[in-house]
Amino acid sequence: MVNHELTQDQQRELLAALKARFEKNRGRHKGVIEWEDVEKKLNANSKALWSLSEMEATGGEPDVVRFDAVKEQYHFYDCAKESPKERRSVCFDQVAREGRKKFPPETSALEMAELMGIELLTEEEYRYLQTLGEFDLKTSSWIATPSEIRERGGALFGDRRYNTVFAYHNGADSYYASRGWRGVLKV
C-alpha cells in the first residue's frame, strides 16, 4: 500500500520548490494568480500535495498555470521542457498494454496518471500549455483521447515541431523512448 501522506519536511520542501518555480515563471500566471492563495489551498489538501510530489518525482516540473474562477480551482500542469523523463516508453492505457503481443511495457500513461491522482492533459489544455512556452521539441506526449478514437484502437499525442503544435494519432499500444505523457492536477 502506497502512503499518500507527506511528512511535514516533505511538504515544506515541495512547497518551496513549487514557489520557486512559480516565481521564476511569472509569465505562466499572467498576474491573476497569487502564490499565497495557491499555498493556502494546497496546505488544506494533503492528497493534492502528494499528487504534486509524484508529478515532481517523475520529472514533470508542475506549475500552476490556470485558475478556474467558477470552480475555484487552480490547475497545475506538467511544465517540463520535454515529456517527463520518468513517464516515457509507455502505451496509452492498460487495454493497449495488455494487448501487445511482444514486449509490453510495465505500465501505461492512464495507469500512471490514476495512481498519481491526476489526469492526462486534454488537447485543449496541451495547446494552452504551448502558449506559455515551447514544450516537446524533441519528445511527444500522450494526451486525453476521445472514446470514439480509443474504441478504434487509436490514441492522441502532441508535440511541437517547425514552430507549430501538432496533435496526431497512433495505435494506443505503441510506445517510444521519446513519448511520455503530461498531466494536470486541479486543486
Side-chain angles (χ1 to χ4, degrees):
M1 185 72 184
V2 177
N3 181 8
H4 291 157
E5 295 287 326
L6 301 179
T7 66
Q8 291 286 335
D9 286 343
Q10 289 171 322
Q11 286 181 20
R12 274 193 294 278
E13 200 174 295
L14 176 62
L15 288 169
L18 293 171
K19 181 179 181 180
R21 186 170 298 126
F22 181 93
E23 296 293 336
K24 183 179 177 185
N25 297 287
R26 285 227 170 248
R28 293 179 187 160
H29 324 299
K30 300 190 169 107
V32 298
I33 301 172
E34 297 298 328
W35 176 252
E36 294 74 26
D37 298 329
V38 174
E39 187 172 26
K40 182 190 252 185
K41 191 108 173 187
L42 289 175
N43 280 324
N45 191 331
S46 61
K47 186 178 180 212
L49 282 170
W50 182 83
S51 292
L52 285 167
S53 74
E54 292 295 295
M55 291 172 81
E56 188 74 21
T58 55
E61 299 178 22
D63 196 7
V64 59
V65 299
R66 279 186 164 172
F67 178 68
D68 181 334
V70 174
K71 295 182 180 178
E72 296 185 8
Q73 288 181 328
Y74 294 100
H75 295 196
F76 286 84
Y77 287 13
D78 285 311
C79 292
K81 188 81 172 152
E82 300 297 339
S83 193
K85 195 168 188 132
E86 298 301 317
R87 297 191 227 152
R88 296 184 194 165
S89 297
V90 294
C91 295
F92 182 75
D93 61 16
Q94 182 178 358
V95 171
R97 179 178 59 79
E98 290 175 348
R100 284 191 64 88
K101 292 182 177 137
K102 292 183 179 180
F103 312 113
E106 292 181 23
T107 190
S108 69
L110 287 183
E111 288 171 289
M112 290 179 80
E114 184 177 339
L115 283 174
M116 294 168 64
I118 66 176
E119 300 171 1
L120 267 65
L121 290 178
T122 65
E123 182 178 349
E124 184 270 327
E125 290 167 333
Y126 185 80
R127 289 183 181 282
Y128 177 74
L129 173 67
Q130 293 283 4
T131 69
L132 304 175
E134 294 184 348
F135 300 93
D136 287 333
L137 297 171
K138 298 175 186 170
T139 58
S140 61
S141 296
W142 288 116
I143 54 178
T145 299
S147 59
E148 322 65 80
I149 295 172
R150 186 60 200 96
E151 288 166 3
R152 290 175 172 83
L156 300 178
F157 68 94
D159 65 21
R160 182 185 205 97
R161 303 291 190 272
Y162 312 108
N163 201 30
T164 302
V165 178
F166 292 95
Y168 308 103
H169 61 89
N170 210 177
D173 64 343
S174 65
Y175 66 97
Y176 304 96
S178 63
R179 179 166 311 142
W181 61 276
R182 291 178 183 273
V184 57
L185 176 68
K186 298 171 183 175
V187 184

